[in-house]
Amino acid sequence: LDYWEESTMSQADVLVVNSNFTKERVQAEMAGVRQKPMHVLYPSLNMEKFASPTSSSSSNAPIVSLNRFERKKNIGLLLEAYSELQALLGRKRAPRLVIAGGYDIQNEENVLYLQELRKLATKLGVLENIDWKPNVSDEERSVLLTTCLCLVYTPHLEHFGIVPLECMYAGRPVVALASGGPLETVLHEKTGFLCKPNDPTDMASYLKKLVDNPKLSVEMGRAGHQHVKTKFSKKAFEQEWLDLLTKTVKTGTYRRWAKRNTYRLQRCLVYLMEAVVILGLAQLLTFLLRCVGILESDAHIWSTVKNAVLSPRQGEL
């Protein structure tokens, strides 16, 4: 399957990927497309679908995680960081933690992973402070994003990640891992925080900053909202897409022109090679016929053939 994917991609005039991280991965894994033009086109948000940001926050606002219940989403890291956050706050009570996202009861991984997370939360002593919300509706999702203290995004080496954009547009900061897509979407210490991958202590320290200073959440949220409107809007996406289409048409036109001219050049070279071969054979045949005495030493196969063809016609005339 990988072979066919690489083979078909190599036939494209222009390749489009959703992040620089994805671009690096594709070029590293697929040698056949490394020389192909490859452009980054960030996904956009349908701004009308999401709620506008609110202008207030509090230390009691919940910390939210929005992910599918899959192991690759790395939600256990947040549970460990939340446990350390409680220790850092001392007597001060930590905000509630909301673990929400896509969940299918018929999906074995979803079921088993939720059980694993509950066991880990029990082991860490934070189970009673967690609200589990599998399969939240769009309305619940909007409420969580606009009322949370922050969103914690835990996937490691995610190719892009649309949830951080949704949260920033909703006016809330994002705490994510400094890897993959979030490196290109979250502005560290401006629209959120980027922590060391798989380091719950580092994550807990950033969460504490927001708990201690809810106004920081509002300020970062405003910056994040403007950041998404400017860089990830539908208008910005449409303009970049149009530019790419224009470039692709030009590239395809040039490729077809070059292919036609290359074919013509190849045919000319073939004809030239055929002429060279014929001349070479004529010279060789002339030499051999002279050696056996069929041709005079000053005669040539070309003149002999010419005379043989033209003499009967001249006699007829």
Side-chain angles (χ1 to χ4, degrees), residues 80-97:
E80 295 175 4
Y82 185 71
S83 175
E84 294 199 22
L85 173 64
Q86 286 194 323
L88 290 174
L89 293 174
R91 295 182 180 181
K92 186 176 180 180
R93 188 179 181 85
R96 291 195 68 79
L97 177 60

Side-chain angles (χ1 to χ4, degrees), residues 63 74-88 97 120 124 126 152-154 175-178 193-209:
I63 297 169
N74 201 23
I75 303 172
L77 174 66
L78 173 55
L79 299 184
E80 295 175 4
Y82 185 71
S83 175
E84 294 199 22
L85 173 64
Q86 286 194 323
L88 290 174
L97 177 60
L120 178 59
L124 295 170
V126 296
V152 181
Y153 193 67
T154 50
V175 178
L177 305 190
F193 296 108
L194 294 169
C195 10
K196 299 174 184 176
N198 300 319
D199 187 337
T201 302
D202 195 46
M203 180 177 286
S205 67
Y206 287 124
L207 291 175
K208 186 176 183 297
K209 287 184 178 182

Side-chain angles (χ1 to χ4, degrees), residues 279-297 299-301:
L279 289 172
L281 290 174
Q283 289 293 108
L284 177 62
L285 184 57
T286 299
F287 174 76
L288 293 175
L289 292 177
R290 287 174 179 174
C291 289
V292 298
I294 297 177
L295 288 179
E296 299 294 334
S297 60
H300 196 282
I301 189 64

Side-chain angles (χ1 to χ4, degrees), residues 42-266:
Y42 291 124
S44 69
L45 286 183
N46 181 1
M47 306 299 184
E48 298 175 357
K49 182 180 176 181
F50 299 99
S52 299
T54 58
S55 58
S56 63
S57 183
S58 71
S59 57
N60 294 323
I63 297 169
V64 170
S65 166
L66 272 174
N67 282 296
R68 292 189 302 276
F69 284 87
E70 299 173 352
R71 293 183 181 90
K72 67 180 181 180
K73 298 303 181 180
N74 201 23
I75 303 172
L77 174 66
L78 173 55
L79 299 184
E80 295 175 4
Y82 185 71
S83 175
E84 294 199 22
L85 173 64
Q86 286 194 323
L88 290 174
L89 293 174
R91 295 182 180 181
K92 186 176 180 180
R93 188 179 181 85
R96 291 195 68 79
L97 177 60
V98 178
I99 307 294
Y103 180 86
D104 183 354
I105 196 172
Q106 295 182 336
N107 185 305
E108 183 179 7
E109 183 184 10
N110 288 179
V111 175
L112 293 177
Y113 190 48
L114 179 55
Q115 293 174 0
E116 292 170 11
L117 291 174
R118 287 181 179 275
K119 289 180 181 178
L120 178 59
T122 301
K123 179 181 177 181
L124 295 170
V126 296
L127 183 65
E128 294 183 355
N129 293 337
I130 300 176
D131 296 324
W132 306 90
K133 294 182 178 293
N135 284 333
V136 290
S137 65
D138 288 343
E139 291 76 14
E140 290 176 302
R141 185 188 185 92
S142 294
V143 170
L144 286 173
L145 290 176
T146 54
T147 60
C148 67
L149 178 69
C150 67
L151 172 89
V152 181
Y153 193 67
T154 50
H156 182 40
L157 299 177
E158 187 86 347
H159 282 272
F160 182 72
I162 201 71
V163 175
L165 294 189
E166 296 175 358
C167 179
M168 287 187 288
Y169 183 76
R172 288 294 179 263
V174 176
V175 178
L177 305 190
S179 72
L183 284 170
E184 302 172 48
T185 56
V186 179
L187 303 179
H188 184 57
E189 296 186 336
K190 292 183 179 179
T191 68
F193 296 108
L194 294 169
C195 10
K196 299 174 184 176
N198 300 319
D199 187 337
T201 302
D202 195 46
M203 180 177 286
S205 67
Y206 287 124
L207 291 175
K208 186 176 183 297
K209 287 184 178 182
L210 295 170
V211 173
D212 290 341
N213 185 9
K215 290 184 179 180
L216 180 61
S217 174
V218 176
E219 293 171 3
M220 286 186 161
R222 288 173 180 162
H225 178 75
Q226 189 59 43
H227 174 55
V228 172
K229 284 180 65 177
T230 302
K231 192 170 183 179
F232 301 99
S233 68
K234 184 179 178 182
K235 182 178 180 181
F237 176 86
E238 289 175 345
Q239 183 58 54
E240 288 189 46
W241 180 243
L242 180 61
D243 292 342
L244 277 173
L245 288 178
T246 303
K247 185 169 186 175
T248 302
V249 170
K250 291 181 179 178
T251 302
T253 302
Y254 174 77
R255 175 179 53 79
R256 289 188 293 272
W257 175 86
K259 184 177 181 180
R260 286 195 300 268
N261 284 276
T262 299
Y263 175 76
R264 291 169 181 167
L265 178 60
Q266 288 174 341

